[in-house]
Amino acid sequence: MNKMEKIFVSVVNSQDPLHRESFEYQTVFLSKVKPDPTNGRFLPCALISDEDAKLFIEKRLSKRQLVEKYEAEERVIVGKNCIINCMKYGSFEWSKAQKSIDTIVELGDNIAVCEMIQVPTIYPIENGDFQILTGHRRFFALVYAKGYDSYEQFKVYDRRPLFTKVKQFQENASREDLPQYGKLQAFQNALSEINALNKARKSAGHKALTIKEVAANLGISMGAYDNYNVLTRYPSVLRAYEEGCSLSFRKAKKIVTSVESEYKQTHGKKALNALDKQTISESIYARVTGKHQIRKLASDIYKLEPIRSASALKTLLTNDVTKIDCGVNWQELDWEDHASISSALIQLSKYLNQDQPQR
């Protein structure tokens, strides 16, 4: 039993309300607030002093000097009126960071001229510092607009909330302007907390939460829960959204269910094994991204149709099948082409299942 499960068992046994946490609004120095690297909204960053940001803007401090001073290689430097992408130029990470930078700058410019309606939420950690719970983008925008040495009002919990990932998902799910990949990632993290809670409930003799109760705890409808559940079923969907897929969840879900249904019908399967799911995942990725060339699996698998009689099996095992006249031209078969070989094997197994005498 891990630490999270032990905490949940204790809470379930004590019958404490699961969402009861005290908080108040406080003014906190931005330099005392730490981003959460496990949050989907996290940006690998180096937060710099107002003085160093000013020196950079005045060109009295170079980018290289800042990178060396703050160990900012492969990170994003954020300071007052200063934000620098230090990822490898042209890389996927650089492009991903640049999209976040654009939204942070836009939000920071808005904060500079008007008040923030919804402040970030934080909770205390060691050494008098605070951990961001929700509002990473708003926090970076505050640093950009007002400086890392400034202070701002935060919603401060008196301790770390029990359901941190659930709270993060609740905020992500309610925001239309946030990337879909972040929402899917937040859902997976939130569901891991719910699963730990259900395990604790069962060990204490209680029933697991129903799907309806899970959706209510996540703050979403049953329909939305089903969408998230289907879209996180295959890792290729999250990969596609991380790479910039812009399909709506509704369209992506339709692709997932269609590919699953087609695969089951084609292969006559009701239950799917790990290899089936891997193949389906690759097909989904190809359709969602428009990259119809599906990546080749690490090892090709060749399959015969089920052999339906002992005589057919004996023929297969005791004869040189390339000498059997089953309609396959073995001499001209392309042994480098997986599809051609698979087709030949299927044709052979169909012939054997006809239980025709060997020629």
Side-chain angles (χ1 to χ4, degrees):
M1 185 181 294
N2 60 35
K3 183 178 180 181
M4 179 189 296
E5 291 168 351
K6 289 179 180 178
I7 293 173
F8 284 152
V9 168
S10 174
V11 171
V12 170
N13 286 332
S14 65
Q15 298 184 341
D16 282 343
L18 297 180
H19 291 290
R20 186 182 68 183
E21 287 100 7
S22 300
F23 65 86
E24 61 181 353
Y25 289 91
Q26 298 179 18
T27 299
V28 178
F29 280 100
L30 300 186
S31 58
K32 301 296 291 181
V33 178
K34 310 299 178 186
D36 176 10
T38 68
N39 189 298
R41 304 297 298 155
F42 175 75
L43 180 70
C45 63
L47 303 169
I48 66 174
S49 69
D50 295 355
E51 179 61 26
D52 283 341
K54 180 181 178 182
L55 290 174
F56 175 78
I57 292 171
E58 294 175 349
K59 297 183 179 180
R60 290 192 286 158
L61 201 59
S62 69
K63 174 182 176 181
R64 174 48 52 191
Q65 288 173 314
L66 283 178
V67 168
E68 291 177 354
K69 180 175 181 178
Y70 289 94
E71 298 180 349
E73 196 75 45
E74 298 300 319
R75 300 163 77 186
V76 175
I77 293 174
V78 185
K80 187 174 183 180
N81 298 318
C82 166
I83 186 163
I84 312 166
N85 191 344
C86 300
M87 302 288 184
K88 183 179 179 181
Y89 182 77
S91 66
F92 171 70
E93 289 74 16
W94 185 91
S95 299
K96 183 179 176 182
Q98 196 60 41
K99 290 179 181 178
S100 295
I101 289 171
D102 292 341
T103 60
I104 290 168
V105 170
E106 182 180 1
L107 181 57
D109 290 341
N110 290 334
I111 290 174
V113 296
C114 61
E115 291 185 2
M116 183 181 295
I117 298 175
Q118 186 177 5
V119 301
T121 62
I122 58 178
Y123 59 88
I125 52 178
E126 66 277 358
N127 301 321
D129 291 334
F130 297 87
Q131 180 88 69
I132 298 178
L133 178 62
T134 63
H136 277 77
R137 193 175 63 127
R138 279 166 282 160
F139 170 73
F140 293 132
L142 282 170
V143 174
Y144 176 78
K146 300 189 175 183
Y148 193 43
D149 300 329
S150 67
Y151 51 83
E152 189 57 56
Q153 190 175 62
F154 290 84
K155 179 180 178 180
V156 184
Y157 286 98
D158 59 356
R159 58 184 174 84
R160 183 183 187 274
L162 183 63
F163 287 93
T164 57
K165 299 307 175 185
V166 168
K167 286 185 179 296
Q168 289 171 355
F169 170 75
Q170 288 171 342
E171 182 186 17
N172 282 331
S174 66
R175 299 277 295 280
E176 293 295 332
D177 59 324
L178 297 185
Q180 291 154 310
Y181 169 71
K183 293 182 179 182
L184 294 176
Q185 188 181 45
F187 174 80
Q188 285 189 315
N189 292 336
L191 208 57
S192 69
E193 288 186 339
I194 297 293
N195 290 337
L197 172 63
N198 276 335
K199 189 173 181 179
R201 288 176 63 87
K202 289 179 180 179
S203 67
H206 302 289
K207 292 182 179 179
L209 297 176
T210 65
I211 298 299
K212 185 176 182 179
E213 290 171 331
V214 171
N217 274 280
L218 293 175
I220 55 177
S221 67
M222 290 285 288
Y225 175 85
D226 185 59
N227 289 343
Y228 279 107
N229 199 40
V230 170
L231 292 175
T232 54
R233 193 178 295 165
Y234 296 97
S236 61
V237 177
L238 276 81
R239 175 158 58 94
Y241 277 112
E242 185 179 17
E243 293 173 359
C245 172
S246 59
L247 287 180
S248 68
F249 281 170
R250 183 179 178 182
K251 289 183 178 179
K253 178 188 175 183
K254 187 174 182 180
I255 290 174
V256 172
T257 55
S258 295
V259 172
E260 280 184 331
S261 178
E262 291 168 9
Y263 185 90
K264 288 179 179 179
Q265 187 174 8
T266 301
H267 296 83
K269 291 195 170 187
K270 292 184 178 180
L272 300 173
N273 59 34
L275 181 61
D276 294 328
K277 291 178 181 179
Q278 183 182 0
T279 304
I280 290 172
S281 187
E282 293 298 333
S283 297
I284 290 170
Y285 178 80
R287 291 200 194 180
V288 168
T289 61
K291 300 175 183 177
H292 298 293
Q293 185 64 36
I294 301 174
R295 293 188 304 166
K296 189 176 180 181
L297 299 178
S299 59
D300 290 325
I301 304 297
Y302 300 98
K303 288 185 177 182
L304 293 165
E305 285 198 349
I307 302 301
R308 306 186 185 284
S309 69
S311 61
L313 181 61
K314 182 179 179 181
T315 300
L316 179 65
L317 296 176
T318 61
N319 290 270
D320 181 353
V321 294
T322 63
K323 300 257 186 352
I324 296 177
D325 184 10
C326 61
V328 176
N329 189 334
W330 299 101
Q331 298 299 321
E332 296 183 5
L333 181 65
D334 184 358
W335 292 97
E336 299 296 324
D337 182 47
H338 180 267
S340 298
I341 299 171
S342 296
S343 178
L345 291 175
I346 290 173
Q347 193 166 337
L348 171 65
S349 55
K350 284 182 177 179
Y351 174 84
L352 294 175
N353 283 329
Q354 292 174 0
D355 206 23
Q356 297 181 13
Q358 180 184 348
R359 297 179 183 177

